[in-house]
C-alpha cells in the first residue's frame, strides 16, 4: 500500500456531473503520469460542495459519477486511492484544528471567497469562508508533496503551505509543506465561445464547453460553432486565440505537434479544421463514455471502490491526525 520512499500526490475534485475536456486534458489525463512513482490519492470533495446549496439526491448521484469519471478516464484503482471526502472523518477533524491556526485576515484575502460571496450573496456562510482551511486539511493529512491544480487554486495551496509552516514552527515538524503543480499552459483549454476565457463547467452558454460525457453529435456541433478568428489559415499565432485553442485540443488528443497540424491543414479552411477537431475529440472520448456507462451499470462495484479507497485513506489520515492531536495537547484516548 503506502510506500515510504515514494512521494505523495493529492488532488480533489468537486462532485460535478459536468466535467469538461478542460478538466480532462488539463488535469485528470495527466494524473496517470504519477501513478507508478507516487503514492497517489484523489478525492471527491463533497464536504466542499455544500458550501453552496446542493440538491441532496443530485449531490449523491454526482459524487458517485465523479468517481466513475476518474476510473473511466483510465485511473487504475490498484495504483491510485480514489475516495470520497466525507467517508474519511479526519478531513473535518483536522480542518477544525487548522481553523485555529488560520487568520481571519488571510482568509478574507482569498479571491475565490470574494468571487463566490458575490455570486452567492444571499448565502455567505462560514463554510464558504473556511473552505481553504478544509482544503489545507485535505492536503496536509496525507503528507502531500505535490498538489496538481488549476491556476485558480494556486492561492489555496499557498495558504496550505503557510498553515503547515505556521504549525510546524509552533510545535515541531508535523506536516510536509506541499508544492502546487500547475499543468503547463499548453493544456489550458479555453471556452469555445470566447477563447480568451477559460473553459468552465459552470458556463451558462452550453456551446462554450465540451463535456467529457457529451454525445458525439453534440461535440461535433459545438466545435462547428466554435468562435474562430479572422483569416483562414490554421496557424499557431498569438493573434488567433480561437485557432490556438482548437490546435491545443487537437494536439492533446492526437499527440501531434502544432507544426504537424499546420502542415496537415495547409490550404484547407477553418471549417475543415473545426470538423476534424470535433471528430478527433468525439472519437477520443468515446471509450471514456462507454466505460463510464459500463461502470455506472454496476453501482455496487463503484461503492466498493469508494469503500476500499476510504479505508486506505483513513489509515494514512489517522496517522497525521493523531500526531496533530498529541502536539496541540489533546488528552490521549
Ligand atoms: N478547491 C478545489 C477546486 O475547486 C478542489 C479541492 C478541494 C482540492 N480540496 C482539494 C484540490 C485539495 C486540490 C487539493 O478545484
Amino acid at each position: 500500500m503506502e510506500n515510504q520512499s515514494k512521494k505523495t500526490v493529492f488532488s480533489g475534485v468537486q462532485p460535478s456531473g459536468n466535467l469538461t475536456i478542460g478538466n480532462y486534458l488539463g488535469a485528470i489525463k495527466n494524473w496517470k503520469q504519477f501513478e507508478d512513482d507516487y503514492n497517489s490519492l484523489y478525492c471527491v470533495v463533497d464536504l466542499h460542495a455544500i458550501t453552496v446549496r446542493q440538491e441532496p439526491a443530485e449531490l449523491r448521484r454526482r459524487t458517485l459519477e465523479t468517481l466513475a469519471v476518474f476510473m473511466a478516464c483510465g485511473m487504475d484503482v490498484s495504483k491510485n486511492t480514489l475516495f470520497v471526502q466525507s467517508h474519511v472523518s479526519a478531513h473535518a477533524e483536522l480542518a477544525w484544528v487548522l481553523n485555529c491556526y488560520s487568520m481571519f485576515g488571510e482568509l478574507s484575502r482569498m479571491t475565490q471567497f470574494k468571487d463566490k460571496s458575490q455570486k452567492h450573496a444571499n448565502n455567505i456562510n462560514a463554510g464558504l469562508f473556511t473552505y481553504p482551511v478544509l482544503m489545507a486539511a485535505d492536503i496536509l493529512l496525507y503528507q502531500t508533496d505535490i498538489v496538481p491544480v488549476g491556476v485558480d487554486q494556486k492561492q489555496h495551496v499557498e495558504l496550505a503551505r503557510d498553515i503547515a509552516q505556521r504549525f510546524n514552527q509552533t510545535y515541531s515538524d508535523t506536516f510536509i509543506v506541499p508544492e502546487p503543480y500547475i499543468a503547463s499552459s499548453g493544456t489550458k483549454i479555453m471556452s469555445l465561445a470566447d477563447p480568451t476565457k477559460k473553459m468552465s463547467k459552470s458556463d451558462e452558454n452550453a456551446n462554450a464547453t465540451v463535456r467529457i460525457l457529451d454525445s458525439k453529435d453534440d461535440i461535433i456541433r459545438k466545435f462547428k460553432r466554435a468562435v474562430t478568428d479572422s483569416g483562414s489559415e490554421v496557424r499557431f499565432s498569438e493573434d488567433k486565440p480561437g485557432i490556438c485553442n482548437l490546435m491545443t485540443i487537437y494536439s492533446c488528443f492526437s499527440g501531434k505537434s502544432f507544426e504537424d497540424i499546420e502542415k496537415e491543414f495547409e490550404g484547407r479552411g477553418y471549417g475543415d479544421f473545426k470538423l476534424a477537431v470535433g471528430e478527433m475529440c468525439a472519437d477520443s472520448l468515446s471509450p471514456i463514455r462507454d466505460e463510464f456507462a459500463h461502470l455506472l451499470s454496476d453501482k455496487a462495484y463503484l461503492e466498493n471502490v469508494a469503500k476500499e479507497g476510504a479505508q486506505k485513506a483513513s489509515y494514512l489520515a489517522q496517522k497525521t491526525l493523531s500526531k496533530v492531536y498529541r502536539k496541540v495537547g489533546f488528552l490521549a484516548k
Side-chain angles (χ1 to χ4, degrees), residues 10-14 45 48 85 112 116 131 134-135 138-139 147-149 152-153 156-157 201:
F10 179 97
S11 195
V13 176
Q14 292 259 5
V45 295
H48 279 107
Q85 193 184 27
Q112 189 177 70
K116 284 203 181 170
Y131 178 113
L134 176 59
M135 181 162 157
D138 297 342
I139 297 167
V147 188
V149 281
D152 60 315
Q153 293 297 314
H156 288 164
V157 180
K201 53 190 171 196

Side-chain angles (χ1 to χ4, degrees), residues 303-323:
E303 283 162 1
N304 198 49
V305 168
K307 191 170 154 200
E308 288 186 355
Q311 276 167 358
K312 285 193 219 163
S314 293
Y315 169 79
L316 298 172
Q318 206 52 50
K319 288 210 280 192
T320 301
L321 188 68
S322 312
K323 223 189 256 184

Side-chain angles (χ1 to χ4, degrees), residues 97 101 167 171 321-331:
V97 175
Y101 299 82
F167 194 95
Y171 301 96
L321 188 68
S322 312
K323 223 189 256 184
V324 168
Y325 274 18
R326 191 158 29 81
K327 294 213 182 187
V328 300
F330 294 163
L331 184 65

Side-chain angles (χ1 to χ4, degrees), residues 115-332:
D115 290 350
K116 284 203 181 170
S117 4
Q118 260 180 13
K119 227 166 124 189
H120 305 277
N122 58 352
N123 184 21
I124 308 178
N125 60 73
L128 202 59
F129 188 65
T130 59
Y131 178 113
V133 183
L134 176 59
M135 181 162 157
D138 297 342
I139 297 167
L140 300 181
L141 264 180
Y142 300 98
Q143 303 296 346
T144 301
D145 297 279
I146 58 168
V147 188
V149 281
V151 82
D152 60 315
Q153 293 297 314
K154 190 166 172 235
Q155 194 185 32
H156 288 164
V157 180
E158 275 158 7
L159 180 76
R161 289 171 60 85
D162 292 343
I163 297 173
Q165 278 162 344
R166 186 174 301 144
F167 194 95
N168 288 350
Q169 269 157 24
T170 308
Y171 301 96
S172 55
D173 272 354
T174 308
F175 297 120
I176 292 207
V177 180
E179 296 279 349
Y181 177 92
I182 314 286
S184 68
S185 61
T187 42
K188 186 165 173 197
I189 306 300
M190 312 304 277
S191 152
L192 295 191
D194 176 359
T196 60
K197 249 178 46 190
K198 189 180 150 192
M199 185 179 283
S200 154
K201 53 190 171 196
S202 51
D203 201 310
E204 276 158 24
N205 179 354
N207 289 322
T209 57
V210 178
R211 298 179 183 167
I212 299 178
L213 302 172
D214 274 348
S215 71
K216 179 165 185 170
D217 287 352
D218 280 344
I219 293 176
I220 291 183
R221 184 177 44 78
K222 289 180 187 181
F223 276 103
K224 275 190 185 158
R225 291 198 187 156
V227 169
T228 39
D229 320 280
S230 58
S232 60
E233 230 183 312
V234 176
R235 191 166 42 81
F236 200 88
S237 125
E238 254 176 49
D239 60 341
K240 293 176 174 250
I243 287 297
C244 288
N245 188 36
L246 296 182
M247 286 178 75
T248 301
I249 296 170
Y250 193 73
S251 163
C252 284
F253 279 120
S254 65
K256 291 181 188 166
S257 69
F258 293 143
E259 229 188 334
D260 289 346
I261 299 172
E262 286 172 358
K263 270 194 210 127
E264 186 177 347
F265 291 93
E266 206 176 319
R268 295 160 65 184
Y270 286 168
D272 258 17
F273 179 52
K274 288 204 253 185
L275 188 62
V277 184
E279 279 180 347
M280 171 67 70
C281 175
D283 292 345
S284 310
L285 292 177
S286 123
I288 296 180
R289 229 170 17 240
D290 292 349
E291 180 61 13
F292 176 80
H294 173 71
L295 286 164
L296 272 192
S297 68
D298 190 352
K299 265 180 119 178
Y301 171 67
L302 278 176
E303 283 162 1
N304 198 49
V305 168
K307 191 170 154 200
E308 288 186 355
Q311 276 167 358
K312 285 193 219 163
S314 293
Y315 169 79
L316 298 172
Q318 206 52 50
K319 288 210 280 192
T320 301
L321 188 68
S322 312
K323 223 189 256 184
V324 168
Y325 274 18
R326 191 158 29 81
K327 294 213 182 187
V328 300
F330 294 163
L331 184 65

Side-chain angles (χ1 to χ4, degrees), residues 69-119:
V69 169
F70 286 171
M71 292 161 68
C73 288
M75 302 191 69
D76 183 337
V77 295
S78 68
K79 296 182 177 174
N80 300 278
T81 302
L82 308 179
F83 70 104
V84 176
Q85 193 184 27
S86 65
H87 292 180
V88 180
S89 59
H91 289 251
E93 293 169 295
L94 182 63
W96 171 256
V97 175
L98 297 184
N99 267 320
C100 304
Y101 299 82
S102 306
M103 298 301 142
F104 187 87
E106 64 190 351
L107 295 179
S108 320
R109 287 193 291 276
M110 293 292 116
T111 49
Q112 189 177 70
F113 171 68
K114 292 192 254 180
D115 290 350
K116 284 203 181 170
S117 4
Q118 260 180 13
K119 227 166 124 189

